[in-house]
Amino acid sequence: MTTATNRSAADSATAVERLIRMYRRMVAIRLFEERVNDLYTRALMPGLAHLYIGEEAVAVGICEALAGDDYITSTHRGHGHCLAKGASADRMFAELLGKKSGYCKGKGGSMHIADPTTGNLGANAIVAGSAGIATGAAFSSKYLRTNRVVVCFFGEGALGQGVLYEAMNLAQLWKLPVIYACENNLYNEYTHYSETTAGEILARPAAFGLAAESVDGQDVRAVYGTAARLVDRARRGEGPAFLLSNTYRFRGHHVGDVSRDYYRTKQEEQRWMVERDPITILADGLIERNLADRAQLDRIHSELTSEMNAAVESALAAPYPTPDEAEQDVYA
Amino acid sequence: MPEPEHKATAEHAETAENRSFSASSAVTKVRELSFAEAIREALAEEMRRDSRVCILGEDVAEAGTPFKVLSGLVEEFGKERVIDTPISEAGFTGVGVGAAMTGVRPVVDIMFGDFLTLVMDQLVNQAAKVHYMSGGTWKVPLVVRATLGATRRSAAQHSQSLHAWLSHVPGLKVVLPSTPYDAKGLLKTAIRDDNPVVFFEDKMTYKMKGPVPSDEYTIPFGVADIKREGRDVTIVATSSMVQVALGAATLLDEVGISAEVIDPRTTWPLDERTLVESAKKTSRAIVVDEGYLRYGVTAEIASVIAEGAFYHLDGPVMRLGAMHVPIPFSPPLEDATVPTDRSVFEAACKLCKRP
Ligand SMILES: Cc1ncc(C[n+]2csc(CCOP(=O)(O)OP(=O)(O)O)c2C)c(N)n1
């Protein structure tokens, strides 16, 4: 029989493992995105790329609270969500480069990564486009009694879309296990959210009776803690929730958005990057509390760097699909 | 042919001059403008002329849209007239309809034509029907500007050409400019029209330069433009496909086939007469449009030509359009889905029975 002290020692061991795992995931996303930026600026990557740098703690903290077969839906800024839910970097890079070995055989690209094996129902390039899909997956969970929870990721820009409110209303009426995870990075493209969003954000889901909470999106421990509570609650059949994570994108709206002075100041960007970097915040916390040392964190960093570099190389070397594949997969 | 087109043609007899403006360039100053600049200039002129004209859309003010088409307008007209909206396409298009009914002349910006799916109720059930359902009493002088076109590697939800959907709906007018000159003249006409007009801009054309006179002009709806005269085959092309057709015509020249390229410029009203006359002259016709082939714009235009020129044709009217698939992301796949100079050239050779 385990004694009480043993149990709490074991609990704190898993808690530390969890923190290290979340650290690793956040660094992986950061390194992934830096490589996307590099590929894009070297004209090796076609299309659009919306980087998640600065927001890593949101996806990582929330996905940490999910089981492997729980579902997520993602957005145009989706690389972080996909990686946090367990996607592999090489197949993601391959998809971003339009290669056949990519998650969607090159058909989807950066904004449409989907992967049934990790419960990823798909990234979506229509703002709020996945509100219905996520709520529908929660409907399935209840209907089929699979007890899966669904997280619907979206930016605060999606608060402008009516379909989100129709979906939340249905979710609450039917007590569906879905978490609406709003990532408020302050800007809808090039416009501050205060210019597009009337009233209090949390008052909206609260009006439907959803459990509505907000959290510091730069603090992965806080995100995880709050998400875990809301996910458990949903899994117990107590209904949907709305989790507002306050965060910031460190880079442009997309990789090409380089002159940003007309909508936000360099000082503001600097302040967030220096004072509110989620990776630094967690690293400092771990070291301060003697849960990890710098050398260990550096090792994680260099392991992941080699992993990411190898993933890029393999994706660059991978073949494109052949043109005849364009006509495949239209129908099931 | 239904009345309105006749009327449009007759009413704007000055069109011939508009088309051949370069001839009179001694008096009219002609500059080279990009397609985007031509759009912006049309909006600026109409906003100066009529204080009821305003712009509604996402990131239209300081950002000037992601394509920078509207850059500078907010500086001249202020945020009361160049109005940033939330990401609420259905909401602000609906506001556009109501405002248009009650004295404002809104120009609504739908960043990617793919997002028209979000505003279909406002456009199809509301804007298009108000005039008719009210027995001709209410009017909806609304312009919706949207984009179309693939090959930007933007994948399935940012690359569609959905103009056929709107062309199907009575009560809407649909404009598809292919050059800076046409873009400016047609947009001014759209803004002055008392009906809802959906105005499609090809994203890949925004940077294309072309001559635009500095003097005031408008281009009437329902008047096709002959972009290139020819004898052997008529290529009817819209929007993004006009340059493709012209490219094909150059290739055809090299093998001794003289192609006539016609741009209808508006799918509704449609200048049936010009299309039919050209097909009668050349005895062969190909229709090229970037929308889907099935049930698309090419089908309608081909049937107009087949009905109007049947006894003059050497063979069936051929059609080229987007492959019937969601637009794939991967470059080699995406490139396979849209017509090219080469595929139009090959279709024309086949029609002219050349190897
Ligand atoms: C329906 C729809 N309208 C407009 C767009 C263009 N668009 C892409 S991202 C974006 C801003 C989204 O802001 P937000 O939801 O806050 O997400 P963020 O980019 O900040 O992560 C817009 C307007 C779109 N993709 N879909």
Side-chain angles (χ1 to χ4, degrees):
Chain A
M1 231 178 92
T2 350
T3 64
T5 28
N6 273 351
R7 194 184 305 126
S8 71
D11 281 356
S12 61
T14 42
V16 175
E17 276 166 30
R18 186 188 303 288
L19 291 175
I20 300 289
R21 187 164 59 236
M22 292 199 292
Y23 181 81
R24 178 176 272 280
R25 282 242 154 103
M26 290 200 293
V27 174
I29 294 170
R30 178 73 53 97
L31 295 174
F32 183 93
E33 294 292 59
E34 284 170 353
R35 274 147 194 78
V36 172
N37 188 53
D38 178 61
L39 286 166
Y40 191 91
T41 39
R42 285 161 59 209
L44 292 171
M45 184 192 149
L48 291 162
H50 305 82
L51 303 182
Y52 199 62
I53 293 179
E55 309 187 31
E56 293 91 343
V58 181
V60 169
I62 290 174
C63 289
E64 182 65 27
L66 295 178
D69 62 355
D70 284 340
Y71 292 117
I72 63 162
T73 62
S74 171
T75 68
H76 58 284
R77 197 176 305 290
H79 307 160
H81 309 138
C82 300
L83 288 165
K85 195 67 176 60
S88 76
D90 49 356
R91 290 190 65 198
M92 281 190 56
F93 278 125
E95 187 58 37
L96 265 54
L97 298 177
K99 301 301 180 72
K100 189 176 162 64
S101 55
Y103 271 111
C104 317
K105 302 181 207 163
K107 290 191 163 105
S110 164
M111 298 195 289
H112 301 291
I113 307 246
D115 175 26
T117 60
T118 57
N120 179 351
L121 292 160
N124 208 307
I126 299 298
V127 170
S130 66
I133 295 174
T135 309
F139 179 90
S140 286
S141 171
K142 188 162 181 184
Y143 190 90
L144 303 171
R145 300 181 204 285
T146 58
N147 209 26
R148 293 178 179 179
V149 173
V150 188
V151 171
C152 178
F153 285 105
F154 54 89
E156 83 292 341
L159 295 167
Q161 296 286 15
V163 67
L164 180 65
Y165 303 95
E166 300 183 23
M168 286 199 294
N169 185 50
L170 292 171
Q172 178 67 11
L173 284 172
W174 298 339
K175 289 271 181 288
L176 302 181
V178 52
I179 314 294
Y180 299 96
C182 179
E183 308 179 301
N184 185 3
N185 62 13
L186 303 183
Y187 296 90
N188 309 176
E189 265 183 5
Y190 319 109
T191 300
H192 195 269
Y193 86 99
S194 60
E195 291 173 44
T196 60
T197 319
E200 286 299 320
I201 292 177
L202 287 184
R204 299 182 183 193
F208 294 112
L210 272 75
E213 298 199 28
S214 73
V215 70
D216 175 0
Q218 306 310 92
D219 179 352
V220 74
R221 283 181 298 178
V223 175
Y224 166 71
T226 310
R229 246 188 315 106
L230 297 175
V231 167
D232 288 348
R233 183 181 170 278
R235 213 182 296 282
R236 286 194 305 269
E238 291 170 33
F242 186 101
L243 176 55
L244 173 64
S245 299
N246 296 303
T247 184
Y248 196 77
R249 67 167 153 76
F250 288 3
R251 305 293 179 89
H253 170 63
H254 59 86
V255 178
D257 170 30
V258 281
S259 344
R260 302 186 284 271
D261 297 349
Y262 70 93
Y263 72 89
R264 66 186 206 186
T265 63
K266 289 231 164 51
Q267 294 89 303
E268 177 185 292
E269 293 186 354
Q270 275 305 313
R271 210 164 49 242
W272 279 88
M273 289 194 282
V274 173
E275 295 168 19
R276 309 289 296 131
D277 185 321
I279 296 178
T280 316
I281 290 173
L282 180 59
D284 290 351
L286 287 168
I287 292 167
E288 223 164 81
R289 292 157 61 212
N290 282 322
L291 300 174
D293 59 24
R294 181 63 65 193
Q296 185 187 357
L297 299 184
D298 287 348
R299 226 171 16 252
I300 291 175
H301 202 278
S302 62
E303 275 166 28
L304 286 168
T305 302
S306 331
E307 228 172 82
M308 289 296 160
N309 289 345
V312 169
E313 288 314 314
S314 81
L316 282 170
Y320 283 108
T322 49
D324 59 296
E325 290 176 51
E327 283 186 289
Q328 297 167 9
D329 301 321
V330 179
Y331 296 97
Chain B
M1 204 156 92
E3 255 243 296
E5 287 90 83
H6 279 300
K7 207 166 139 237
T9 322
E11 203 172 75
H12 293 274
E14 76 273 14
T15 315
E17 264 103 16
N18 279 341
R19 268 189 215 146
S20 56
F21 63 87
S22 48
S24 59
S25 60
V27 282
T28 307
K29 196 163 161 281
V30 177
R31 305 117 334 132
E32 288 276 311
L33 290 190
S34 72
F35 192 93
E37 286 164 342
I39 297 280
R40 190 184 311 147
E41 196 169 86
L43 283 163
E45 285 179 11
E46 291 306 298
M47 290 176 83
R48 276 176 217 135
R49 196 182 63 85
D50 184 346
S51 63
R52 296 170 303 171
V53 178
C54 68
I55 297 173
L56 286 169
E58 293 154 21
D59 284 314
V60 293
E62 285 89 350
T65 79
F67 306 106
K68 305 294 168 205
V69 176
L70 306 183
S71 297
L73 292 181
V74 74
E75 283 76 7
E76 178 173 353
F77 300 103
K79 288 186 85 109
E80 307 74 39
R81 296 183 67 193
V82 183
I83 304 163
D84 275 339
T85 63
I87 309 171
S88 310
E89 285 84 0
F92 66 75
T93 304
V95 166
V97 177
M101 290 171 67
T102 50
V104 180
R105 301 185 79 89
V107 179
V108 165
D109 187 288
I110 300 291
M111 192 184 293
F112 284 83
D114 310 69
F115 312 155
L116 284 169
T117 58
L118 294 146
V119 308
M120 286 305 262
D121 182 62
Q122 300 309 318
L123 276 179
V124 176
N125 286 325
Q126 313 304 334
K129 295 178 175 42
V130 162
H131 187 66
Y132 189 82
M133 289 194 304
S134 68
T137 52
W138 289 108
K139 291 184 177 126
V140 188
L142 171 76
V143 178
V144 173
R145 292 179 42 251
T147 53
L148 59 69
T151 68
R152 267 179 99 249
R153 318 308 182 205
S154 306
Q157 295 174 339
H158 281 65
S159 307
Q160 298 165 87
S161 300
L162 298 177
H163 48 289
W165 294 18
L166 287 317
S167 307
H168 188 67
V169 178
L172 299 179
K173 296 185 179 181
V174 180
V175 187
L176 297 162
S178 68
T179 64
Y181 175 78
D182 289 351
K184 182 175 174 190
L186 290 166
L187 184 52
K188 286 169 69 87
T189 302
I191 293 169
R192 296 179 193 189
D193 200 294
D194 275 342
N195 297 283
V197 177
V198 189
F199 191 94
F200 284 93
E201 299 161 20
D202 171 35
K203 301 183 281 283
M204 300 300 278
T205 302
Y206 276 137
K207 295 205 167 98
M208 169 192 177
K209 293 230 173 201
V212 178
S214 51
D215 282 4
E216 166 92 26
Y217 69 96
T218 58
I219 299 173
F221 291 168
V223 181
D225 189 34
I226 299 170
K227 297 291 182 200
R228 182 190 198 276
E229 295 206 20
R231 295 178 313 274
D232 302 327
V233 58
T234 297
I235 307 177
V236 180
T238 60
S239 184
S240 53
M241 291 296 112
V242 171
Q243 289 308 313
V244 166
L246 290 170
T250 307
L251 295 174
L252 288 165
D253 259 348
E254 288 164 21
V255 297
I257 298 174
S258 158
E260 177 146 300
V261 176
I262 300 190
D263 175 1
R265 298 197 288 200
T266 48
T267 48
W268 194 260
L270 181 66
D271 183 355
E272 301 183 351
R273 183 195 285 164
T274 302
L275 305 180
V276 168
E277 288 310 316
S278 174
K280 281 183 179 171
K281 180 178 85 175
T282 63
S283 313
R284 298 177 190 94
I286 299 176
V287 191
V288 197
D289 176 84
E290 205 180 328
Y292 292 120
L293 208 55
R294 288 189 203 161
Y295 303 97
V297 162
T298 57
E300 175 65 20
I301 292 179
S303 90
V304 163
I305 294 174
E307 281 171 27
F310 184 77
Y311 295 105
H312 300 259
L313 293 177
D314 269 5
V317 183
M318 293 184 76
R319 302 189 289 134
L320 285 97
M323 193 184 276
H324 209 68
V325 303
I327 317 286
F329 164 70
S330 186
L333 301 188
E334 184 178 33
D335 289 342
T337 66
V338 287
T340 58
D341 297 12
R342 196 78 217 165
S343 63
V344 176
F345 167 80
E346 279 161 13
C349 288
K350 203 167 145 205
L351 195 57
C352 296
K353 302 194 175 63
R354 296 295 175 83

